[in-house]
């Protein structure tokens, strides 16, 4: 059978070396084929891990260990405790597409652009993306640049998504691979869009409370929010943006409060 010409897969396999970390998945080259496991199982003995086939990885990637659906496959909550062995480059592609759909193609598109092989990275920025929206998502254009930046920082925080965001708004810097992963994010995803819509609706609420807080109280609020974001309840549904304690909503509140945080060294008098 003629070999399939697949430049993206060939380039990715060449980049693996002896091993490569793709978000939370460690890909290790074997004498024949590759082995995939969760990065937190790096040192685990193969006999302690559950052997799964490449086609079983999709079901594994669909839910968290607590059984909640994972709407963003690059969220840093991929289950651990499994091992997948693939015999060929083509099987590796199948396995990676179950875990991180489209990641390989997006990685290759950006690698090509960075090498100058293509004229422009295929990135769609916030303004261009939201201008195309119709119906209920049209209001996402109403966020100011500063508001959009807060929304993006909150939604795409590394605690929620390991994709390296390359699109932006105004002066917001894109993510680095070191801060996130090798998987690029080329345009706002459905969760970001819904989050931006929710943020506009929050801005439009009329009965706003006015609160005067001392810097120390702002610091306490920030600390409490940080704790809540770090320890969401077990049954928390990631995409349930209507929930007041949704971690992304709490993170957005943190973003808004940051501007009022006390300057370091300016503690209140004892
Ligand atoms: S838009 Fe943000 S949250 Fe959505 S996939 Fe991209 S980086 Fe992740």
């Amino acid at each position: 059978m003629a070999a399939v010409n697949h430049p993206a897969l060939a380039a990715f396999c060449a980049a693996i070396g002896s091993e490569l970390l793709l978000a939370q998945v460690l890909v290790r080259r074997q004498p024949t084929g590759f082995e995939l496991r969760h990065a937190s199982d790096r040192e685990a003995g193969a006999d302690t891990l559950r052997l799964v086939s490449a086609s079983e990885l999709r079901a594994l990637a669909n839910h968290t260990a607590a059984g909640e659906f994972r709407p963003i496959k690059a969220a840093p909550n991929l289950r651990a405790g499994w091992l997948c062995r693939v015999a060929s480059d083509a099987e590796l592609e199948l396995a990676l597409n179950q875990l991180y759909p489209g990641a390989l193609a997006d990685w290759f598109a950006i690698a090509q652009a960075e090498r100058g092989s293509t004229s422009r990275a295929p990135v769609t920025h916030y303004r261009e993306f939201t201008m195309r929206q119709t119906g209920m998502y049209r209001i996402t254009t109403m966020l100011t640049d500063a508001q959009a930046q807060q929304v993006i920082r909150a939604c795409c925080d590394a605690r929620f998504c390991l994709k390296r965001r390359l699109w932006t708004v105004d002066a917001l810097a894109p993510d680095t691979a070191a801060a996130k992963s090798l998987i690029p994010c080329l345009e706002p995803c459905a969760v970001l869009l819904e989050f931006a819509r929710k943020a506009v609706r929050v801005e439009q609420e009329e009965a706003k409370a006015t609160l005067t807080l001392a810097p120390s109280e702002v610091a306490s609020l920030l600390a409490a929010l940080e704790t809540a974001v770090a320890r969401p309840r077990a049954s928390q549904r990631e995409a349930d943006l209507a929930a007041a304690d949704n971690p992304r909503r709490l993170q957005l509140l943190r973003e808004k409060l940051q501007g009022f945080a006390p300057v370091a060294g300016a503690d209140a008098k004892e």
Side-chain angles (χ1 to χ4, degrees):
M1 197 169 72
V4 178
N5 182 15
H6 194 331
L9 181 58
F12 185 79
C13 290
I16 291 175
S18 60
E19 67 173 45
L20 180 138
L21 181 66
L22 189 69
Q24 288 188 292
V25 172
L26 189 61
V27 182
R28 283 178 170 153
R29 189 179 292 279
Q30 300 294 298
T32 309
F34 301 89
E35 176 203 278
L36 295 86
R37 59 172 69 194
H38 194 285
S40 67
D41 292 326
R42 170 183 279 277
E43 307 300 339
D47 55 350
T48 66
L49 301 173
R50 182 166 66 93
L51 203 59
V52 295
S53 67
S55 56
E56 286 175 299
L57 289 173
R58 175 153 311 202
L60 186 141
N62 269 345
H63 297 91
T64 65
E68 296 300 333
F69 180 67
R70 298 175 70 234
I72 292 184
K73 296 296 177 267
N77 55 8
L78 179 67
R79 274 186 281 171
W82 52 271
L83 177 75
C84 178
R85 294 192 175 109
V86 294
S88 65
D89 294 2
E91 272 188 52
L92 175 64
E93 182 191 22
L94 170 70
L96 292 177
N97 272 334
Q98 311 295 312
L99 295 165
Y100 299 124
L104 203 147
D106 290 348
W107 171 85
F108 185 62
I110 294 305
Q112 291 274 85
E114 287 175 347
R115 269 200 301 269
S117 308
T118 51
S119 57
R120 179 179 173 269
V123 170
T124 308
H125 297 286
Y126 182 84
R127 292 291 173 217
E128 184 186 348
F129 188 86
T130 53
M131 282 300 288
R132 286 187 203 154
Q133 303 302 315
T134 55
M136 64 191 279
Y137 290 109
R138 185 69 183 164
I139 61 168
T140 55
T141 58
M142 293 168 69
L143 292 176
T144 65
D145 283 350
Q147 290 167 339
Q149 288 185 37
Q150 288 175 336
V151 163
I152 294 163
R153 276 198 298 267
C155 188
C156 306
D157 188 282
R159 283 180 290 192
F160 306 133
C161 180
L162 291 174
K163 275 195 180 182
R164 171 192 172 202
R165 177 185 49 76
L166 297 180
W167 56 270
T168 189
V169 69
D170 193 35
L172 181 66
D175 292 331
T176 62
K180 291 286 206 73
S181 78
L182 292 175
I183 305 175
C185 175
L186 305 181
E187 64 179 28
C189 70
V191 172
L192 184 289
L193 194 62
E194 176 59 22
F195 191 53
R197 192 183 77 85
K198 180 68 187 172
V200 174
R201 289 296 184 219
V202 169
E203 291 297 331
Q204 290 174 333
E205 285 175 17
E206 279 176 5
K208 290 194 170 67
T210 304
L211 199 60
T212 304
L213 294 173
S216 296
E217 292 170 318
V218 173
S220 293
L221 256 182
L222 283 168
L225 287 168
E226 171 64 25
T227 303
V229 170
R231 289 187 219 124
R233 57 186 162 83
S235 59
Q236 187 87 58
R237 284 186 292 129
E238 194 178 339
D240 182 8
L241 299 172
D245 64 346
N246 179 282
R248 280 183 168 86
R249 282 183 59 174
L250 300 181
Q251 182 67 18
L252 180 56
L253 195 50
R254 284 192 74 229
E255 290 288 340
K256 291 179 177 178
L257 280 171
Q258 287 290 358
F260 302 97
V263 179
D267 292 348
K269 293 187 180 94
E270 294 298 321

